Amino acid sequence: MTAEYQVHGDVAVITLANPPVNGLGLSTRQGIVDGLAKAEADAAVKAIVITGAGGAFSGGADIKEFGTDKSLQEPNLHSVINAVENAGKPVVAAIHSVCMGGGLELALGCHYRIAAPGCSVALPEVKLGILPGAGGTQRLPRVVGVEAALNMIVSGEPVKSEMIGAVPGQKLFDKMAASAESLAAEALAFAKSVADVRPLPLVRNLPCKHPEGDAYFQFARNMVKGMAKNFPAPAKCVDAVEAATKRKFADGLAFERELFINLMWTPESRALRHLFLAERAASKIPDVPSDTPKRDVQKVGVIGAGTMGGGISMNFLNAGIPVTILETKQEALDRGVATIRKNYEAQVKKGKLKQEKYEQRMALLSTTLSYDDLKDVDLVIEAVFEEMGVKEAVFKQLDAVAKPGAILASNTSTLDVDQIASFTKRPQDVVGMHFFSPANVMKLLEVVRGKATAKDVLATVMAIAKKIKKTAVVSGVCDGFIGNRMIERYSQQAGFLLDEGCTPQQVDKAIEKFGFAMGPFRMGDLAGNDIGWAIRKRRAVEQPDMKYSKTADLLCEMGRFGQKTGAGWYDYQAGKRDAIPSDVVNKMIEDHRKALGVTPRKVSDEEIVQRLVYALVNEGAKILEEGIASKSGDIDMVYLTGYGFPIHRGGPMHYASEVGLFNVVESMKRFAKNPLDDARAWTPAPLLAKLAAEGKAFQ
Ligand code: T1G
């Protein structure tokens, strides 16, 4: 049982003990009910305290149980809370650290609540695409007021216990403990003090009204509509809280339950729950135990003060870690530092960064022209020109200068990390850390594991990634790692669609309607079309038989590299970023079709989306079966945090599983028949074909 029962004098204490956050899984729920029964049956027990062991009161319902029958099995959370409310003796919730979701709902069912300061209190269900499903939308408004409750429920954001406890008229806590350390003793004393109070107070009996209800909820609906266009849950949160003001408690509870169950089955909620677990699973490397000793990283060196070097440096400065940037020329250093300053000053101007914080960060930054100044750094990240010869020179120097045990990382976006490691006598200390531009903004960090990369190096880099607030995903060594290798296939399809009859704006609009932040052509103009051009030239040598539309090369031959040249797939007005469809480009595409002898056809948005997304999925399946990525959720995390894949779709691999892999493969068979396409690109990866045939999903 994952709830312990003890009696202290005449107070029974039920302690939730389901690490890591006392998720209210079946055994924990059973433990609470059993504990209540024992306390009821023991005449010596005058009052009951419920609390949580370890670092949480409770993080809510056990998310890992969702979708299994355990989550529905009695006693479900409603039954547990009913048992608490109907106990014949006062039940006091002793709250500390984390009290979220079902955990807060459990506390709201108790007769009294005492909280330690510093506890994160939230109803975060909306972040999982659902809403509080065990009375939270009906009870919270009764103790903190309708507006404060709705804010908490629609945002899902935590608030500190001392912030709520102290607000006049808000009765979420009956008492604030002096500290987390004194909570246990104070809870026992408080329980004793209310042992004889009758009738026992019930939150459900408190009134729940809003003086301007109709107007307020209309306002709330208007606000929510704007912020949650792809997610149904926030609007339902408003409906549920409004019901608390208009219906009897029992009816409001039933209404909430109906909304909760309906939301649980929405694709958006399935996507968000998948991502909650995938994000946490990404930080786990199957063959690197989480207790692997980590190297100490007190000082970081960054080689290259360009856009990437500067952005990478800012991540560490923001985390309070000193950085030394090395360049070959003083003016490059000066330019790089000036860019960092400009970025911080812009944040200060917007009120996003305090002046003193900015100064503290800049004080952690030093610069040098000499490798000798990197001799005592613990981690060096090079962000120099993407050419193997340059990398070789850098790593040979690093090998000579860096102290033993220093981690030598390359920010390369596609080059072979094993080859880079071979330039040193310490390949076990070499790893790829592929940041995404702008490096101080994008959350994704691909951690590229070389054959020789030591396990403690990986464990250290994953821990550092968390410290600099990056979503780190481990990739094996291959051309393009995970993200860029898949985007290659996506871009290949985008080009074919132009040859067949689409315009750049039609393709972009279709995939942006699907939910991508930016379609392939707007993205090319932003990143620079010349980057893809260089990769295609390299690929033409390495994989001469890979088929491409020539339009992207023709575009680059016109010098239309994108926003940086004021023209790309689209036209741009000076100093503006608005993408204007270009007659010049559309004519180039039409002329190219004529040269191919192609009669343009109307391509549906559905086909555009399927060809772009399934191209990602098929390459992702190959990456999985080659072991370049260890989990399909890792691939989803790469696409969500690095390539603007729509969150409400859950990532390419999750989305394909939702569509049904059998249906994906059937569509691919159709695309393979298109003479203008690259049939080999539509040969299903063996893993995809196998799962589709077995009617399974990606795990
Ligand atoms: N259930 C199961 N496991 C959970 C969990 C939960 N509710 N919350 C966290 N974990 C696991 C997580 O997967 C990870 O596991 C470990 O705890 C550390 O998490 C009826 C139905 C609590 C603030 O949405 O916000 O109640 O990877 O890395 O940064 O209305 O986790 O180690 O194996 O995030 O210290 C509502 C979600 C559920 C809370 C801790 N509750 N969790 O943050 O650690 S729905 C939530 C969080 C519900 C009722 C409904 C955070 C945290 P592993 P972590 P952290």
Side-chain angles (χ1 to χ4, degrees):
M1 208 64 78
T2 47
E4 288 146 12
Y5 179 85
Q6 287 164 329
V7 178
H8 297 264
D10 54 3
V11 178
V13 179
I14 299 168
T15 305
L16 312 184
N18 181 21
V21 296
N22 298 326
L24 296 167
L26 177 59
S27 72
T28 308
R29 301 195 301 268
Q30 190 60 58
I32 298 168
V33 170
D34 293 353
L36 291 169
K38 275 187 202 151
E40 293 279 7
D42 182 344
V45 168
K46 302 289 181 225
I48 302 156
V49 169
I50 296 180
T51 192
F57 171 77
S58 170
D62 191 330
I63 295 172
K64 291 170 183 146
E65 266 191 9
F66 282 0
T68 68
D69 16 357
K70 271 189 175 180
S71 67
L72 302 171
Q73 234 169 307
E74 285 293 355
N76 68 30
L77 202 43
H78 272 283
S79 310
V80 173
I81 294 170
N82 281 340
V84 170
E85 287 190 318
N86 298 327
K89 302 172 183 174
V91 182
V92 178
I95 297 164
H96 64 91
S97 314
V98 167
C99 179
M100 292 189 173
L104 178 55
E105 292 174 300
L106 171 64
L108 286 165
C110 293
H111 306 112
Y112 299 97
R113 283 154 297 283
I114 175 171
C119 173
S120 282
V121 179
L123 287 176
E125 289 85 341
V126 71
K127 294 183 176 179
L128 298 172
I130 48 180
L131 51 67
T137 65
Q138 307 302 304
R139 289 190 178 89
L140 189 64
R142 284 174 159 79
V143 286
V144 302
V146 170
E147 295 193 17
L150 188 58
N151 278 342
M152 281 182 70
I153 292 165
V154 163
S155 71
E157 288 303 314
V159 284
K160 287 297 177 201
S161 48
E162 62 274 18
M163 298 298 286
I164 310 175
V167 179
Q170 292 196 358
K171 253 188 68 54
L172 179 52
F173 306 122
D174 301 280
K175 180 175 169 48
M176 289 299 293
S179 69
E181 293 68 29
S182 67
L183 174 69
E186 292 192 61
L188 287 174
F190 184 85
K192 281 189 177 48
S193 72
V194 296
D196 302 326
V197 171
R198 296 297 183 276
L200 292 168
L202 292 176
V203 169
R204 64 163 57 213
N205 293 338
L206 296 174
C208 184
K209 281 281 167 264
H210 188 288
E212 305 293 332
D214 293 345
Y216 172 70
F217 286 107
Q218 187 49 53
F219 164 74
R221 285 191 172 89
N222 296 343
M223 293 297 283
V224 156
K225 202 182 291 171
M227 65 183 239
K229 60 182 174 23
N230 295 314
F231 296 95
K236 300 299 180 192
C237 291
V238 179
D239 296 346
V241 174
E242 183 178 42
T245 68
K246 297 198 166 171
R247 303 183 193 207
K248 288 204 209 69
F249 182 84
D251 296 343
L253 206 59
F255 181 60
E256 174 200 81
R257 188 98 191 115
E258 182 192 329
L259 294 177
F260 172 79
I261 290 170
N262 292 340
L263 285 170
M264 274 293 271
W265 295 104
T266 57
E268 293 82 1
S269 180
R270 285 202 295 270
L272 288 172
R273 292 178 345 238
H274 163 68
L275 294 177
F276 176 87
L277 296 174
E279 183 177 11
R280 287 155 180 80
S283 61
K284 291 174 182 58
I285 307 168
D287 64 335
V288 179
S290 52
D291 60 359
T292 301
K294 296 160 186 71
R295 298 186 190 181
D296 191 21
V297 177
Q298 294 297 324
K299 282 190 75 177
V300 170
V302 173
I303 303 181
T307 312
M308 288 308 285
I312 290 169
S313 301
M314 288 177 71
N315 290 309
F316 293 94
L317 298 175
N318 297 350
I321 299 172
V323 174
T324 301
I325 300 184
L326 176 137
E327 257 292 358
T328 50
K329 293 194 184 66
Q330 189 57 45
E331 56 269 28
L333 271 182
D334 298 344
R335 226 180 7 258
V337 173
T339 305
I340 293 173
R341 276 196 183 286
K342 188 163 70 54
N343 286 339
Y344 281 138
E345 282 160 6
Q347 290 175 30
V348 170
K349 210 165 151 203
K350 286 180 203 152
K352 291 185 174 171
L353 180 66
K354 287 199 170 44
Q355 180 66 27
E356 61 269 22
K357 269 260 182 224
Y358 159 41
E359 286 157 10
Q360 278 167 14
R361 289 175 183 178
M362 290 310 291
L364 293 171
L365 177 61
S366 50
T367 61
T368 180
L369 298 172
S370 158
Y371 272 87
D372 286 344
D373 289 337
L374 298 181
K375 63 182 181 307
D376 64 353
V377 298
D378 307 296
L379 164 67
V380 191
I381 303 169
E382 61 80 14
V384 299
F385 188 64
E386 189 74 348
E387 197 281 315
M388 198 52 99
V390 178
K391 305 291 187 189
E392 179 174 3
V394 166
F395 275 82
K396 282 188 169 153
Q397 294 224 48
L398 282 178
D399 198 26
V401 168
K403 69 182 182 184
I407 295 173
L408 312 182
S410 169
N411 173 55
T412 180
S413 59
T414 57
L415 297 177
D416 184 331
V417 170
D418 290 326
Q419 189 179 350
I420 291 173
S422 71
F423 300 141
T424 74
K425 296 185 201 61
R426 49 175 120 177
Q428 72 283 358
D429 296 337
V430 176
V431 67
M433 289 179 76
H434 175 213
F435 290 82
F436 285 71
S437 183
N440 55 308
V441 174
M442 295 297 282
K443 275 184 73 66
L444 179 59
L445 173 66
E446 280 184 326
V447 176
V448 186
R449 174 180 192 170
K451 288 191 185 68
T453 304
K455 291 188 176 183
D456 69 325
V457 167
L458 286 167
T460 305
V461 171
M462 297 306 274
I464 270 281
K466 189 162 186 173
K467 188 161 185 183
I468 62 173
K469 298 191 175 44
K470 294 296 178 188
T471 298
V473 177
V474 174
S475 170
V477 174
C478 71
D479 191 346
F481 311 137
I482 298 172
N484 285 345
R485 173 169 160 184
M486 288 167 67
I487 203 84
E488 183 80 47
R489 293 298 182 180
Y490 172 90
S491 307
Q492 183 190 34
Q493 285 303 313
F496 291 149
L497 286 162
L498 299 184
D499 293 350
E500 294 167 38
C502 296
T503 60
Q505 52 272 28
Q506 185 194 352
V507 173
D508 282 351
K509 278 195 175 24
I511 198 73
E512 287 163 15
K513 200 166 131 222
F514 173 78
F516 269 72
M518 200 175 267
F521 299 108
R522 283 179 60 213
M523 187 170 81
D525 277 359
L526 178 68
N529 298 309
D530 48 331
I531 295 172
W533 197 21
I535 290 174
R536 284 193 303 278
K537 285 177 187 166
R538 181 160 60 80
R539 186 87 77 249
V541 174
E542 293 161 359
Q543 295 177 25
D545 55 348
M546 196 157 170
K547 232 176 120 181
Y548 285 104
S549 161
K550 287 287 168 287
T551 46
D553 296 344
L554 293 170
L555 185 84
C556 289
E557 283 155 22
M558 295 159 75
R560 294 178 71 102
F561 293 159
Q563 291 185 20
K564 61 184 174 185
T565 55
W569 291 104
Y570 296 92
D571 292 336
Y572 297 88
Q573 286 169 343
K576 295 253 176 72
R577 294 175 158 247
D578 305 329
I580 302 162
S582 164
D583 296 339
V584 168
V585 169
N586 287 335
K587 174 137 184 4
M588 173 271 279
I589 295 167
E590 281 156 24
D591 293 346
H592 179 59
R593 285 186 201 123
K594 286 189 187 108
L596 290 173
V598 169
T599 309
R601 71 180 175 95
K602 179 125 182 56
V603 183
S604 70
D605 283 3
E606 185 192 25
E607 179 181 342
I608 290 171
V609 170
Q610 287 184 353
R611 283 179 56 184
L612 292 176
V613 174
Y614 296 173
L616 294 175
V617 174
N618 200 31
E619 198 62 27
K622 291 174 187 167
I623 285 170
L624 261 182
E625 59 197 2
E626 291 168 23
I628 296 295
S630 61
K631 310 178 269 302
S632 66
D634 285 1
I635 295 172
D636 288 333
M637 289 318 297
V638 165
Y639 262 79
L640 287 151
T641 56
Y643 294 82
F645 197 92
I647 292 175
H648 67 286
R649 309 279 189 182
M653 310 309 272
H654 173 84
Y655 176 71
S657 296
E658 289 279 296
V659 166
L661 299 187
F662 173 81
N663 299 322
V664 171
V665 169
E666 287 305 298
S667 300
M668 289 168 62
K669 285 176 185 165
R670 282 201 315 279
F671 302 150
K673 294 189 183 106
N674 175 350
L676 286 172
D677 205 324
D678 176 358
R680 285 158 309 162
W682 293 119
T683 306
L687 172 66
L688 174 56
K690 178 174 178 294
L691 292 173
E694 295 166 356
K696 288 184 181 161
F698 287 117
Q699 289 314 314

